[in-house]
Amino acid sequence: MTELPLHSAAIMLTKRLGRLAAVLVIVAAAAFTLAKLSPIDPVNAYLGIDIARVGPEQRALIAARWGLDQPPLAQFLHWAGNLLQGDLGYSMIYNAPVAEVIASRFWVSLPLVGLAWLLSGALGFALGVVAGASSGTLLDRAIRLYAYVLASAPTFWIAILLLIIFAVLLGWAPVCCAGPLGVVPDDVTFADRLRHLALPLAALTLFGVAQIALHTRAKIIEILQGDAALYARAQGAGKWDVALRHGARNAALPAVTILFASLGELFGGSILAEQVFAYPGLGQAAVSAGIKGDVPLLLAVTLFLTLFVSVGNMIADMLYRLVDPRLRDEALSAGGQHG
């Protein structure tokens, strides 16, 4: 393997961080603009059913307390200045600092998204290897049909279907939430957490299987038709032996890169799954912030998810360059020329 020149790698990293910063600024400005264009009045949404008991003067005081009486540009610049100092603002609907809300919700969402990411990758890769090794058979057609159905089915539809069958009709799983109703989070047992996690996890895992399975299948078929596979078959190796020893190894790293690149879709699916199962994670907090006009929380969640997905895509891109020396040499040459 060619050793990476230090200065070219530094230039590449600087460019990526610069692009990431630009993406975060654009996303923050777009999210703020959309929130301001929304017909939802944050003060009215905060007051809810108590709006009839509050007069115009009190509403004006609340708006001034939150800084909503300032022009939109002044509000955005004030928020950006606080962000640069590490202050994410104060959530209106949760009545708590935004950093605390995101931290508490993130640790609820992490097991759901993380396990779904790992399980969908493992299951999709296994199905892709089996389908690719048995290309053209009934088993291959069944796996492809399964993958196509999953790829075309919305996450919320899968979640509602699982909820109706396993929670309502069969009663095998809880209907909602991350723990039993009426029990404080600190008293929820590990077994109860798993029971409440099962259905959202199943819905999100099924959502991420199709893309990995179809890509791995195509890669395995390509590898099995290559010269190395034909040589191995001529040496007496069986089809499954070639598929596992040569195909699976060569298809694994591209599948991992796709898995990292799919983090954005997985987070999008988690928002819908958390809504269906009333799972109190980061996605549900983002929806609540959007519905009730909690701009500081909405912007912070948007930036956090953008950063998370961008880092995942960056890792996927780096893995691609690691796998394909042509891409790596091209990137290093571009970095050296600019340097």
Side-chain angles (χ1 to χ4, degrees):
M1 179 181 294
T2 305
E3 185 177 355
L4 292 177
L6 186 59
H7 71 282
S8 298
I11 292 174
M12 288 175 55
L13 181 60
T14 303
K15 286 181 178 179
R16 290 179 182 281
L17 292 178
R19 284 199 290 265
L20 176 59
V23 168
L24 291 176
V25 171
I26 293 172
V27 168
F32 182 83
T33 303
L34 291 175
K36 287 301 173 184
L37 292 176
S38 169
I40 299 173
D41 187 322
V43 177
N44 292 344
Y46 172 76
L47 293 174
I49 59 175
D50 295 327
I51 189 171
R53 303 177 182 175
V54 179
E57 295 80 7
Q58 291 173 300
R59 293 177 55 192
L61 287 174
I62 295 174
R65 175 69 177 81
W66 290 344
L68 298 176
D69 57 339
Q70 300 295 318
L73 181 59
Q75 293 181 36
F76 181 75
L77 293 178
H78 179 71
W79 171 82
N82 289 337
L83 178 65
L84 293 177
Q85 298 176 7
D87 182 9
L88 297 178
Y90 199 82
S91 172
M92 307 169 190
I93 58 176
Y94 293 102
N95 198 27
V98 168
E100 291 183 7
V101 176
I102 290 182
S104 62
R105 294 295 181 125
F106 173 73
W107 290 114
V108 176
S109 291
L110 184 61
L112 173 62
V113 177
L115 288 175
W117 186 70
L118 293 175
L119 292 176
S120 62
L123 182 59
F125 184 74
L127 290 177
V129 171
V130 172
S134 56
S135 176
T137 65
L138 182 60
L139 180 60
D140 175 37
R141 287 195 289 270
I143 292 176
R144 273 190 294 160
L145 177 63
Y146 173 73
Y148 289 144
V149 171
L150 287 181
S152 57
T155 307
F156 72 89
W157 183 80
I158 297 175
I160 292 174
L161 198 63
L162 293 177
L163 185 67
I164 293 175
I165 295 175
F166 294 101
V168 177
L169 296 180
L170 298 177
W172 291 354
V175 176
C176 74
C177 311
L181 295 176
V183 179
V184 296
D186 292 340
D187 293 338
V188 177
T189 63
F190 181 71
D192 282 334
R193 293 183 190 278
L194 289 181
R195 289 180 62 245
H196 286 77
L197 179 65
L199 279 187
L201 178 61
L204 205 55
T205 300
L206 291 176
F207 169 73
V209 164
Q211 187 179 8
I212 304 296
L214 293 174
H215 180 273
T216 303
R217 174 187 176 274
K219 191 68 179 177
I220 289 292
I221 292 176
E222 178 187 340
I223 293 171
L224 292 182
Q225 293 175 347
D227 294 337
L230 292 176
Y231 180 76
R233 294 293 299 272
Q235 295 293 317
K239 182 176 66 174
W240 285 101
D241 187 45
V242 175
L244 294 176
R245 289 179 180 274
H246 299 276
R249 285 184 179 181
N250 288 286
L253 200 48
V256 170
T257 60
I258 291 180
L259 196 58
F260 274 105
S262 66
L263 275 174
E265 297 179 14
L266 198 63
F267 266 112
S270 72
I271 292 175
L272 299 175
E274 289 180 3
Q275 281 297 110
V276 172
F277 294 103
Y279 200 78
L282 205 55
Q284 194 187 48
V287 174
S288 299
I291 292 176
K292 297 184 178 179
D294 192 343
V295 177
L297 179 58
L298 182 63
L299 291 179
V301 172
T302 303
L303 286 184
F304 180 80
L305 295 182
T306 302
L307 180 64
F308 204 87
V309 173
S310 297
V311 171
N313 289 334
M314 190 182 299
I315 294 174
D317 191 34
M318 293 173 66
L319 286 175
Y320 265 126
R321 298 184 189 284
L322 184 66
V323 173
D324 193 339
R326 295 169 299 179
L327 294 176
R328 182 175 63 241
D329 295 341
E330 181 181 341
L332 291 177
S333 299
Q337 290 173 2
H338 286 83

